[in-house]
Amino acid sequence: MDSVEERDTEIKAPSVIDRYYTRWYRADMKGKPCEDHCILQHSNRICVVTLAETHPILQDGRTIKSINYQISNGCSRLKNKVFGKSKRGGQFLTDFAPLCRITCTDESEYTIYSCIRGRLLEVNENILERPALLLEKPSTEGYIAVILPKFEESKSITENLLSREEFERVVSKRSVAVQSQP
Amino acid sequence: MLPLKDKDKPVVQKLLSAGCCARCVLRFCCVSVQAAYRQPQQETLKELHCFIGDTTDSGAAKSTEENKDEPAEDPPSKRPKLEPSLTGAELDQGSTAEKLKDEESQVCVVCLGILQELCDKNQAIKIVEAVKGENYEFDTLVLSVSLPAQLCVREHSCWLHVKTQLREKSIILGKDDVIQVKEAFKWIMQSLVAKELGGVAVVTKSPFEVGVEFTHPETDADCHFLYVSNSSNIFTPGLFFLSHYPCPPIQTTTRCSAQDVQCLHTSVFVAGRYNKFCRSLPQTPWVIDGERRMESSVEELIATPIVSAFRAQGFNFSSSGREDVDVRTLGNGRPFAMELLNPHRSRFNRVQMKQLQEKIKQIKVTHLYYHREAMSRMKEGEEEKTKSYTALIWTQKPICSEDITFIDGIKDLTLEQKTPLRVLHRRVLAVRPRVIHSMTTRFLDPHHFYLGLKTQAGTYIKEFVHGDFGRTKPNLCQLLKTETDILELDVEVGWKPLI
């Protein structure tokens, strides 16, 4: 009953993400199975990097032990700062630039990548204080970072990402494979 | 009789022999009696010749001109014989007339014809025809003249010529008192143009400007020597100027040519308030990747009828703030102002303004008026500190009216608002504290309620409701402990009177 009503309102009112963002996916990032990323691109070209719902961190009731934006000795994403309307000074990222490392309580460690080329505007510091946000609301308050692609690349940066339909097909094939395995 | 003094005689003579026209002679003699310029130049020339007593010996002037490099001879004016004018002229009318004709057809070396044929009745008719063709509405006009730059050089050359030639005679020729070509041109043309326009006053200050431009390609190179110079004061007598430019200026074969007449009416400002009642109208034309989104805009809906009524060439639209494409603007309406560029019609009475206001469709415009300072007045009104909104809120969890009443009790809630992602591409990234002064709720159904807000200017309401990825804190999701979203938003524009 409850769920029917909810679905009803959902149809009437698409979410903020539905209204203003396009979802793009990178499946099995760096060949690691199921490490899927989701990029939300706003119509103004700004991109929000999030974990796809299928990411291992969000499976099997895992809990997060730590999130580290220090990706190497010399580079911390927390030190990123942008100035002015043109966002000068932000770190420039390529597709495979790591954004942070997330360690779960079962000692499994995952690296989250940029997935797109662009200037890093901010990382989500809220998840450092409340890692649970990442698990509870992975596509909104638990976002990882905000990236501003170059104006002239705002269309091309998503070319090698999967659309929502393509990603759903990849995921459904996976579950078929899992089911047929045993 | 020309208002000339005895001491002008050598000057007049030098100028005439240097190839100056009659009116330029008057200018150099600092004659500021306008009527002297308005009389036909042939007459002026005749009178000048009489004045210097140059009637019979037409060769004298010629020889002066030819031997200009020699020390100046005693000017004939110094002879005790004064006012020989009429009798002399009558004696040798034949040759004088011939000589005058000659001088008349010569192009003046200083004004290059501007004060000769280029400021007669025919020229006035040309100007008036051009003005009438543009179909402007006006009571007065100001005439402006644009002259080729080389006139400056030529004028200086001629002035230097007279000055050096007559130095020993201790003739003081102040350059500042010389009547400007423009000035003389206007003295002559203003009344001619006014007459042709049938009573329109041609004045020195008017919102309607008629510009006449002259060019003279033949002598454009006159100025070139100035470019190579890095000397700061090239107009110091002698030296640089004399070594680079002939004194007096060289005779030309062609006159200046008049370019197209340019009409320009100063901007008129229109201001008013607008209400927007639909949720699919952007403020300005919305273009993404060269493709138009939404067929119209607030700006176009208001501007199109106004621009066509004022027959303006263009406009600048400005409003006291703006709303999103899907936000309605209620209350008193949002103040706006428009600058109308080069309006061909600029006078509207109250009734006509009201009719114009009613021509604006889809959005409601009120208080439409026009004024010169409308823009600045509106900018003052922009300082409104508190904004009022009504939002339709959706909640994920079902609610009852008791669940939301606590919101009515919240006063002066300070938000930490990070620049919303939706505007981050064009605004500085910062965390801004913004105050929500008060809120009111009106329960609708288990998933919807109306939220009224009074906030500090600059608060982003949509982000307060959905949280913007947790970037606005606190937000309504946190307050209600459920996902919330904003379905509709209206701005209530305050009551501060604008006019």
Side-chain angles (χ1 to χ4, degrees), chain B residues 24 82 85 146 174 207 217 248 261 267 282 312 380-381 410 420 426 479:
Chain B
C24 278
L82 290 170
S85 48
S146 167
V261 173
S267 295
E380 284 163 28
I410 298 174
R426 57 182 162 84
L479 296 178

Side-chain angles (χ1 to χ4, degrees), chain B residues 282-332:
Chain B
Q283 223 221 4
T284 43
W286 192 13
V287 179
I288 295 177
D289 294 334
E291 230 174 276
R292 174 111 209 207
R293 303 272 291 263
M294 311 275 183
E295 69 227 36
S296 196
S297 67
V298 169
E299 187 181 288
E300 288 161 287
L301 288 175
I302 295 178
T304 310
I306 296 179
V307 165
S308 85
F310 282 79
R311 289 187 279 128
Q313 210 170 35
F315 69 92
N316 290 314
F317 185 89
S318 172
S319 66
S320 174
R322 56 192 292 153
E323 63 283 312
D324 292 339
V325 55
D326 54 354
V327 171
R328 299 192 299 178
T329 307
L330 311 176
N332 265 7

Side-chain angles (χ1 to χ4, degrees), chain A residues 19-172:
Chain A
R19 273 178 285 159
Y20 304 115
Y21 294 83
T22 311
R23 291 179 171 87
W24 298 98
Y25 294 87
R26 169 82 79 176
D28 308 316
M29 186 65 183
K30 286 218 160 185
K32 291 175 185 165
C34 300
E35 290 194 21
D36 308 327
H37 290 50
C38 174
I39 310 298
L40 305 173
Q41 186 172 34
H42 194 277
S43 52
N44 68 11
R45 87 177 188 269
I46 279 179
C47 291
V48 183
V49 181
T50 66
L51 295 184
E53 307 250 347
T54 48
H55 196 282
I57 295 175
L58 306 178
Q59 313 305 316
D60 310 325
R62 280 195 169 87
T63 17
I64 291 164
K65 192 172 123 193
S66 68
I67 298 166
N68 191 359
Y69 280 114
Q70 181 91 37
I71 46 110
S72 69
N73 284 339
C75 182
S76 168
R77 300 302 184 200
L78 288 172
K79 295 236 170 73
N80 188 73
K81 259 206 138 64
V82 291
F83 301 96
K85 287 180 184 171
S86 56
K87 316 293 183 296
R88 292 180 311 276
Q91 298 171 10
F92 195 83
L93 308 172
T94 53
D95 300 19
F96 295 106
L99 289 171
C100 66
R101 289 181 224 290
I102 300 177
T103 314
C104 298
T105 43
D106 62 3
E107 295 304 324
S108 55
E109 193 193 87
Y110 301 91
T111 304
I112 312 301
Y113 296 93
S114 159
C115 303
I116 45 151
R117 281 166 56 80
R119 199 185 289 277
L120 182 62
L121 298 189
E122 67 177 37
V123 294
N124 188 358
E125 293 183 31
N126 296 332
I127 56 173
L128 295 177
E129 286 164 40
R130 287 186 53 203
L133 276 179
L134 199 58
L135 305 176
E136 289 161 15
K137 297 174 178 174
S139 57
T140 55
E141 286 183 58
Y143 73 98
I144 305 293
V146 178
I147 295 170
L148 178 67
K150 286 184 179 172
F151 183 79
E152 62 275 21
E153 293 180 351
S154 54
K155 288 276 178 295
S156 62
I157 43 142
T158 55
E159 271 170 9
N160 37 23
L161 299 180
L162 303 175
S163 70
R164 192 171 194 183
E165 293 72 35
E166 290 167 331
F167 178 69
E168 274 166 3
R169 274 201 293 277
V170 168
V171 173
S172 64

Side-chain angles (χ1 to χ4, degrees), chain B residues 371-387:
Chain B
H371 198 273
R372 225 160 238 257
E373 289 135 68
M375 281 312 215
S376 58
R377 287 232 208 154
M378 191 202 58
K379 289 290 171 197
E380 284 163 28
E382 209 164 272
E383 300 303 311
E384 209 175 3
K385 297 289 184 290
T386 305
K387 307 265 174 178

Side-chain angles (χ1 to χ4, degrees), chain B residues 367-413:
Chain B
H367 303 95
L368 194 69
Y369 75 113
Y370 74 108
H371 198 273
R372 225 160 238 257
E373 289 135 68
M375 281 312 215
S376 58
R377 287 232 208 154
M378 191 202 58
K379 289 290 171 197
E380 284 163 28
E382 209 164 272
E383 300 303 311
E384 209 175 3
K385 297 289 184 290
T386 305
K387 307 265 174 178
S388 302
Y389 301 91
T390 308
L392 176 59
I393 308 295
W394 167 86
T395 63
Q396 188 185 40
K397 273 195 228 155
I399 49 160
C400 60
S401 63
E402 288 75 41
D403 292 335
I404 55 172
T405 45
F406 77 96
I407 292 173
D408 295 66
I410 298 174
K411 295 282 174 272
D412 292 326
L413 175 70

